Amino acid sequence: MLHPKRDIRGQFQGKGALEIAACGGHNLLMIGPPGTGKTMLATRLPGLLPPLEENEAFESAAVLSISERGFDVARWRERPFRSPHHTSSAVALIGGGSIPRPGEVSLAHRGILFLDELPQFDRRILEVLREPLETGRISISRAARSADFPALFQLVAAMNPCPCGYHGDPSKRCNCSREKIERYRGRISGPLLDRIDLHIEIARPRNWLDPNEEAANESSAMVRLRVEQARTIQMRRQDKLNQFLSVNEIRQQIPLDLESQRFTRQVFDRFLLSARAYHRIVKVARTIADLEDNTNVELPHLREALNLHCLDRAAVADT
Ligand SMILES: [Zn+2]
């Protein structure tokens, strides 16, 4: 099988992480100053994914058809991309109302939910996201009525590194105190972060984001091809994307060699990872191995997956 080689030079940067997210259906958080192309990266994701399968398209159309705007037949099999603003109400985001209607999390079913400026969202709403991220569904109960809607979406989120936006950016000075930065980052709780597989920092500049560059266009087509191949490998092996593997399936289907087992034990101790974070890291490592058309998950795949999960990259490097 033709397998175009993956460019790993930018493996900790947005492009590589976006490709991995597209392959395995993983959730992604991008942290970087304003104007570094976080939104542009997010909007590129639908273009890297195949159109919806027929059964997925029916599910998506069913949810959209009971929304206020209804379903547009011209968009049949189009993967939803929803990007609600952080000022949206809980009902608009989660769903509800006197006759319960689906919110953005359900309108994004089988597609992508993009939350820009993640810490600006109401903290209670962010905590509610844990349910659909775990189960792919959302239950809404309002007074006497309750409803249950599908909400199986791929989460892509973006945030600034600090309240002013310029922490760590050489182009402008950041005046935020350490305390202020910690409070800002603390708005995203540990349990929510655990459910986001890839956490990456985006710095400037990014020449490859220039759509006019011939090389950039060519590489987009190559990325799409690799994504398609890696998704086909997963569907053949397990009939689902790596993101949806259960804990048992991870144990049975992703055997690790002794060296990798030793590494994961060290990582557990060093980073005090939760079991949930650990399983997500192994699933991402499986996706990275699939991108290389490698049957086995090996130590370099685990290292890269860990790097993409922990922002403390220097510490990962010495583990
Ligand atoms: Zn700042």
Side-chain angles (χ1 to χ4, degrees), residues 111-182:
I112 295 145
L113 180 69
F114 175 48
L115 301 182
D116 198 4
E117 313 261 14
L118 190 64
Q120 307 289 343
F121 282 81
D122 184 323
R123 205 174 162 151
R124 284 163 304 178
I125 293 177
L126 292 182
E127 291 312 300
V128 173
L129 285 181
R130 284 156 56 178
E131 182 193 339
L133 284 173
E134 207 61 30
T135 63
R137 303 196 68 82
I138 183 97
S139 7
I140 304 154
S141 44
R142 290 277 180 282
R145 289 174 190 266
S146 73
D148 187 57
F149 291 116
L152 187 67
F153 53 83
Q154 184 170 3
L155 177 66
V156 178
M159 65 186 273
N160 291 337
C162 66
C164 86
Y166 293 94
H167 181 72
D169 185 352
S171 77
K172 211 167 167 183
R173 203 191 145 105
C174 158
N175 292 316
C176 308
S177 66
R178 203 195 164 100
E179 230 185 1
K180 225 171 143 189
I181 296 175
E182 275 171 13

Side-chain angles (χ1 to χ4, degrees), residues 50-290:
L52 294 175
E53 295 290 333
E54 197 131 300
N55 60 328
E56 296 174 326
F58 274 116
E59 287 177 20
S60 167
V63 185
L64 289 165
S65 67
I66 52 167
S67 72
E68 229 161 273
R69 288 217 178 151
F71 173 64
D72 177 0
V73 185
R75 310 190 90 168
W76 174 245
R77 293 193 66 194
E78 204 175 284
R79 208 170 276 279
F81 181 89
R82 309 290 305 191
S83 52
H85 194 257
H86 60 79
T87 53
S88 306
S89 68
V91 169
L93 282 162
I94 304 299
S98 49
I99 300 165
R101 282 189 195 272
E104 291 290 337
V105 295
S106 296
L107 302 180
H109 181 61
R110 295 288 181 189
I112 295 145
L113 180 69
F114 175 48
L115 301 182
D116 198 4
E117 313 261 14
L118 190 64
Q120 307 289 343
F121 282 81
D122 184 323
R123 205 174 162 151
R124 284 163 304 178
I125 293 177
L126 292 182
E127 291 312 300
V128 173
L129 285 181
R130 284 156 56 178
E131 182 193 339
L133 284 173
E134 207 61 30
T135 63
R137 303 196 68 82
I138 183 97
S139 7
I140 304 154
S141 44
R142 290 277 180 282
R145 289 174 190 266
S146 73
D148 187 57
F149 291 116
L152 187 67
F153 53 83
Q154 184 170 3
L155 177 66
V156 178
M159 65 186 273
N160 291 337
C162 66
C164 86
Y166 293 94
H167 181 72
D169 185 352
S171 77
K172 211 167 167 183
R173 203 191 145 105
C174 158
N175 292 316
C176 308
S177 66
R178 203 195 164 100
E179 230 185 1
K180 225 171 143 189
I181 296 175
E182 275 171 13
R183 205 164 43 234
Y184 174 80
R185 294 199 175 199
R187 291 177 64 94
I188 318 295
S189 73
L192 178 60
L193 272 181
D194 266 1
R195 288 166 172 83
I196 305 180
D197 317 85
L198 307 164
H199 308 160
I200 55 154
E201 283 181 77
I202 307 276
R204 64 184 92 231
R206 292 280 88 98
N207 289 334
W208 57 267
L209 277 173
D210 183 353
N212 299 320
E213 274 194 26
E214 203 184 321
N217 286 338
E218 185 191 34
S219 102
S220 257
M222 291 294 266
V223 173
R224 242 194 314 276
L225 181 59
R226 280 196 300 267
V227 168
E228 198 188 313
Q229 289 176 347
R231 287 173 77 107
T232 306
I233 290 171
Q234 295 166 62
M235 295 313 282
R236 279 200 196 126
R237 182 179 58 227
Q238 66 215 15
D239 204 27
K240 59 174 94 167
L241 293 179
N242 292 331
Q243 170 74 334
F244 304 120
L245 289 173
S246 68
V247 171
N248 274 338
E249 286 167 332
I250 293 169
R251 280 199 202 112
Q252 287 160 9
Q253 297 182 20
I254 313 182
L256 299 180
D257 59 28
L258 280 176
E259 193 186 17
S260 301
Q261 285 176 25
R262 207 174 309 129
F263 171 73
T264 50
R265 261 199 304 274
Q266 277 173 355
V267 160
F268 240 115
D269 294 345
R270 176 145 195 186
F271 295 95
L272 303 171
L273 288 176
S274 66
R276 180 174 284 116
Y278 167 74
H279 290 127
R280 289 194 177 259
I281 290 165
V282 176
K283 287 193 275 190
V284 170
R286 178 64 272 177
T287 299
I288 295 168
D290 287 333

